[in-house]
Amino acid sequence: MLGKKKKTDMSGQPVLRHPAPAPDAKKKVQMVPELTTLMYSDMGNRKYQQDAVYVTPSKRIAANKKSKVMAVVCDGMGGMTDGGLASRTAIEMMQQGFSRIEKMPDVNIPEFFRSGIIAIDRKVAALPKENGRGSGTTMVAVIAEDDELYWASVGDSRIYILRGNEMKQVTRDHNYLLRLQEMVASGQMTLEQAQAQKQKEALISFLGIGNVSLMDINAQPFQLQIGDVVLLCSDGIPKTLSDDRIQAIMQSSTSSLEEKARTLVMAAVRENTHSQDNTSVAILQYNSINIKERRL
């Protein structure tokens, strides 16, 4: 299960009490953990780019020094130029905020997310409106501090965590279906009635609403393990591709992380027949790399 560490060695083989010596006992490979980040975005058939994506550079984790990286995906909405302005504003404010806390040793990251979401919501709500219409943006963001992961979400963009043969969505879609599901749970309607509602995908929370209160932030860090992959994506991915398809692309053993990101986005763009939406992903991987071989 996600969040639980296995008490086996990396190969899954029994641990010998007296293992055989390595072929060359005079050398030792030095492995260090690394937080790798990357992003990929495509405009689809839109004339304007309303998505905005940002990742900090990849970073090796140094002993006794807290290393932080951040990834953010924003999906703007409203008038064409309004949506892009809203998403870019959210990204810029997250960048500025992260630059202030990046090297601070003791940061309350959940509070950083909460206060940042409130500030961005107010800023976007106050932006000039195109043709008098409102604008806004969804946002998913993660910060990894060494092997501890925090996330935040407002809207219906998603965050998935992949570990081994598992994939888990850790955020909720903040749309009207969420309220309908609560009504189903309380017996006020059936699941079939909820699924039949035409407005079920209408957002009930986003940045720019002016008084945002619905947000998903994990109060306790998720413990990363070597090999874990964190996927952030705009709604064009899950609205076009099934979770099984997303997982199959992300866990392909023949593709690099960069190729997986591109394949995922372009598959959604090609198969999205009901919309021409921008589609974007950001990826964070917790891995180990060989920095050198040293003699014993």
Side-chain angles (χ1 to χ4, degrees):
M1 297 297 291
L2 289 177
K4 294 184 179 179
K5 293 187 176 180
K6 296 181 180 180
K7 297 181 179 178
T8 58
D9 70 352
M10 292 294 290
S11 67
Q13 299 299 317
V15 178
L16 301 176
R17 296 184 64 184
H18 302 288
D24 186 351
K26 294 183 179 180
K27 290 184 178 180
K28 183 177 181 180
V29 175
Q30 185 172 347
M31 307 294 290
V32 297
E34 181 180 57
L35 293 164
T36 302
T37 56
L38 61 94
M39 61 185 185
Y40 192 87
S41 183
D42 191 272
M43 286 181 61
N45 293 321
R46 288 264 179 102
K47 294 181 180 179
Y48 297 90
Q49 175 62 279
Q50 291 184 291
D51 284 2
V53 192
Y54 175 75
V55 296
T56 57
S58 302
K59 188 175 293 186
R60 293 176 184 173
I61 296 177
N64 303 318
K65 181 181 178 182
K66 291 186 177 180
S67 302
K68 299 183 187 71
V69 297
M70 182 178 72
V72 188
V73 172
C74 292
D75 184 355
M77 53 194 170
M80 287 295 190
T81 56
D82 276 354
L85 179 58
S87 62
R88 291 192 304 272
T89 298
I91 290 287
E92 289 168 4
M93 292 181 69
M94 288 297 292
Q95 285 182 261
Q96 293 167 5
F98 185 76
S99 67
R100 291 193 295 268
I101 69 164
E102 182 177 4
K103 295 183 180 180
M104 294 173 61
D106 298 302
V107 179
N108 185 328
I109 296 176
E111 177 56 27
F112 167 79
F113 277 140
R114 189 195 70 81
S115 60
I117 286 169
I118 292 172
I120 295 168
D121 175 56
R122 291 173 179 168
K123 178 73 172 180
V124 173
L127 291 173
K129 305 298 188 292
E130 178 187 16
N131 299 323
R133 292 179 292 179
S135 64
T137 183
T138 69
M139 184 180 81
V140 283
V142 297
I143 291 178
E145 185 176 56
D146 292 346
D147 60 352
E148 295 185 337
L149 180 74
Y150 296 88
W151 61 76
S153 171
V154 182
D156 61 355
S157 294
R158 290 185 179 181
I159 300 174
Y160 295 94
I161 297 178
L162 295 100
R163 172 177 294 171
N165 294 319
E166 287 187 88
M167 184 179 81
K168 181 177 180 180
Q169 180 184 341
V170 297
T171 56
R172 300 175 297 171
D173 297 339
H174 297 156
N175 52 31
Y176 187 49
L177 182 58
L178 191 63
R179 296 285 180 254
L180 294 173
Q181 289 169 338
E182 293 171 355
M183 296 173 70
V184 171
S186 64
Q188 298 178 57
M189 66 169 54
T190 66
L191 181 60
E192 290 74 18
Q193 290 173 325
Q195 293 290 350
Q197 296 292 317
K198 293 182 179 180
Q199 299 299 316
K200 63 185 179 182
E201 292 186 355
L203 290 178
I204 59 175
S205 185
F206 57 89
L207 298 174
I209 200 170
N211 58 347
V212 65
S213 59
L214 178 59
M215 59 188 82
D216 287 345
I217 301 172
N218 60 324
Q220 298 300 319
F222 177 86
Q223 200 75 31
L224 292 168
Q225 294 183 19
I226 296 297
D228 284 356
V229 174
V230 184
L231 170 67
L232 297 78
C233 58
S234 56
D235 67 340
I237 297 287
K239 285 183 177 178
T240 307
L241 306 176
S242 68
D243 280 4
D244 286 344
R245 182 77 183 283
I246 295 170
Q247 184 173 358
I249 292 172
M250 290 301 299
Q251 293 180 332
S252 169
S253 60
T254 59
S255 302
S256 67
L257 206 57
E258 293 83 356
E259 290 170 335
K260 291 174 184 178
R262 184 182 185 281
T263 299
L264 192 63
V265 169
M266 298 314 298
V269 170
R270 286 193 304 269
E271 298 176 28
N272 191 347
T273 58
H274 62 276
S275 175
Q276 297 177 333
D277 203 4
N278 310 140
T279 305
S280 305
V281 300
I283 295 175
L284 183 153
Q285 184 177 38
Y286 181 69
N287 217 336
S288 60
I289 59 170
N290 175 9
I291 58 170
K292 63 179 178 180
E293 287 186 345
R294 63 183 180 89
R295 294 192 175 274
L296 297 177

